[in-house]
Amino acid sequence: MKRFLSGDEAFAEGVRLARPQVISAYPITPQTVVVERLSEMVEDGSLDAEYVHVESEHSALSCAIGASATGARTFTATSSQGLLYMAECLTYASGGRFPIVMMNANRATALPWNIYGDQRDSLALLDHGWIQVYAEDNQEALDLALMAYAVAEHPAVATPVMVNLDGFALTHTYETVDVPAPDEADAFLPPYEPTGNRFDFEHPVNIGFSAGPEYNRYFKYWEHRDMLDAPAVVDEVEARFAEVFGRAYPGMIETLNCDDADVILVTLGSAAGLVRGVVEKLRAQGVRAGMLRIRYLRPMPSALIAEALRGASAVGVLEKDVSFGAEGTVFTNVNSALQQAAVGVPTYNFVGGLGGDDISETQVEGMFAMLEQVAKGAEAARDMPRVSFLGIDSPADALGARGAEGGR
């Protein structure tokens, strides 16, 4: 059924179709609409679930962990300071191997106080043991609500999943989405059947235990090993999803015109839609431009990224994040992928969209113009900063404006 929904509403519809048994909720902008819609669904009977309105984000994830430990399919959602507040619980959920699904509405972190969207909240927590996936649009958001459970609950993975939606750019923007019928969703995602990791009086197990130095390393190794098994499960889940619903997704990454590209821009989330349009425009002008969208940032698809970027002459990474005193977190991860594969392409980091700041088409064109200068070995490229902030010190601003005036 076609419906006109915001990203928050689309995700709530996906959660409804996944039939969680326990929802723990604490509202925070711009996530609030998700838990509001789910509360309405529970109230009107269209979703049979226990809805627990807790007193904080820390309690929201604590409640989800407890519910998951009983064998229930669970859901929660948060954003920004709320995600940071529940950070202590993130490692309990991942270390306990509880397949919780959480939606995070990406939003700037304080101070200064800001309710608008960048990705510093989730990217600050990459090392907490959760699978992290980033949606580009509202249809993908709805579909990921279903696929996230299929991945998290797979016995080879047994790891919680954080689905990230750009605040306001997706959460409060309306698009037409295809909402599957409940019987289709049931065919794709059967009821959760925990295997051993739950309270069971007939077959008791130890949950939430301690492990000293002689054993702790094994649990962390297994957690890491099973995270590395997730890409194969993602491919399997997406293949089944395409069979049931007729919509196909590209796996851990998406590439556009990377096979013969001289210059490639890497990004994630909703910014990919803007970059996609610029790539198509530049291709029409004869510029061999490409885009790589990272869908899953954990587990890190290092080999896939390195292979996609191998033939480029210059690569840019556009992200709504900065690790203060260093560089963008996505940039660090991309450079690591290239280093591991011995790919020596020069890379440049464009930090933009902080606090919800707009990233314009002209700026994206400027990023590609800067990468073109590097690819051609232009004299001006020698002074190009490896890390720059759009709207402050990035050459992409001036180069894009020059191109818009016809000086490309």
Side-chain angles (χ1 to χ4, degrees), residues 28 57-58 61 78-90 102 104 107-111 113 119-126 128 162:
I28 178 171
E57 290 88 357
H58 189 284
L61 189 49
T78 191
S79 178
S80 184
Q81 303 300 132
L83 179 62
L84 300 185
Y85 186 29
M86 63 168 61
E88 178 189 14
C89 301
L90 291 176
M102 175 166 64
N104 177 58
R107 173 188 137 183
T109 54
L111 280 172
W113 187 253
Q119 295 167 333
R120 284 181 291 152
D121 51 0
S122 58
L123 292 176
L125 299 173
L126 278 178
H128 282 53
M162 183 190 305

Side-chain angles (χ1 to χ4, degrees), residues 286-301:
V287 178
R288 294 200 298 184
M291 180 194 77
L292 188 154
R293 175 169 73 106
I294 301 175
R295 296 182 68 235
Y296 287 81
L297 198 54
R298 283 297 182 271
M300 179 64 181

Side-chain angles (χ1 to χ4, degrees), residues 107-360:
R107 173 188 137 183
T109 54
L111 280 172
W113 187 253
N114 183 296
I115 65 168
Y116 300 102
D118 63 34
Q119 295 167 333
R120 284 181 291 152
D121 51 0
S122 58
L123 292 176
L125 299 173
L126 278 178
D127 299 333
H128 282 53
W130 286 56
I131 293 170
Q132 282 204 24
V133 56
Y134 291 77
E136 180 183 350
D137 55 33
N138 295 355
Q139 184 68 66
E140 186 173 24
L142 186 154
D143 295 344
L144 282 171
L146 282 165
M147 288 190 283
Y149 279 107
V151 172
E153 294 171 358
H154 194 286
V157 178
T159 299
V161 175
M162 183 190 305
V163 183
N164 294 284
L165 276 66
D166 284 330
F168 292 99
L170 292 186
T171 60
H172 286 62
T173 299
Y174 281 76
E175 296 179 297
T176 300
V177 299
D178 183 11
V179 181
D183 58 340
E184 290 180 310
D186 291 342
F188 170 74
L189 184 68
Y192 173 43
E193 294 185 5
T195 55
N197 192 32
R198 56 170 290 188
F199 296 122
D200 188 337
F201 291 113
E202 300 299 324
H203 304 91
V205 294
N206 194 341
I207 295 177
F209 46 82
S210 297
E214 68 272 33
Y215 295 112
N216 193 282
R217 66 181 181 272
Y218 293 107
F219 289 100
K220 296 300 101 181
Y221 169 75
W222 293 328
E223 191 176 339
H224 175 66
R225 177 200 62 191
D226 292 350
M227 176 83 83
L228 294 177
D229 286 340
V233 175
V234 168
D235 290 342
E236 174 189 320
V237 166
E238 290 187 354
R240 286 199 297 111
F241 190 91
E243 289 179 5
V244 175
F245 302 105
R247 284 190 296 279
Y249 287 96
M252 304 294 288
I253 65 170
E254 177 192 4
T255 59
L256 175 65
N257 294 330
C258 287
D259 290 344
D260 67 340
D262 295 321
V263 288
I264 299 174
L265 198 57
V266 180
T267 192
L268 71 166
S270 61
L274 173 63
V275 176
R276 190 188 310 278
V278 173
V279 167
E280 293 170 352
K281 178 179 178 181
L282 293 177
R283 282 278 170 168
Q285 297 172 2
V287 178
R288 294 200 298 184
M291 180 194 77
L292 188 154
R293 175 169 73 106
I294 301 175
R295 296 182 68 235
Y296 287 81
L297 198 54
R298 283 297 182 271
M300 179 64 181
S302 297
L304 295 174
I305 290 172
E307 188 59 34
L309 301 181
R310 183 180 297 277
S313 299
V315 169
V317 177
L318 169 61
E319 60 183 297
K320 303 177 181 180
D321 164 79
V322 61
S323 180
F324 299 108
E327 58 196 14
T329 301
V330 182
F331 187 59
T332 300
N333 280 261
V334 169
N335 282 329
S336 174
L338 294 174
Q339 177 67 23
Q340 291 176 52
V343 175
V345 59
T347 57
Y348 295 83
N349 193 192
F350 302 101
V351 177
L354 299 182
D357 191 21
D358 184 44
I359 301 172
S360 70

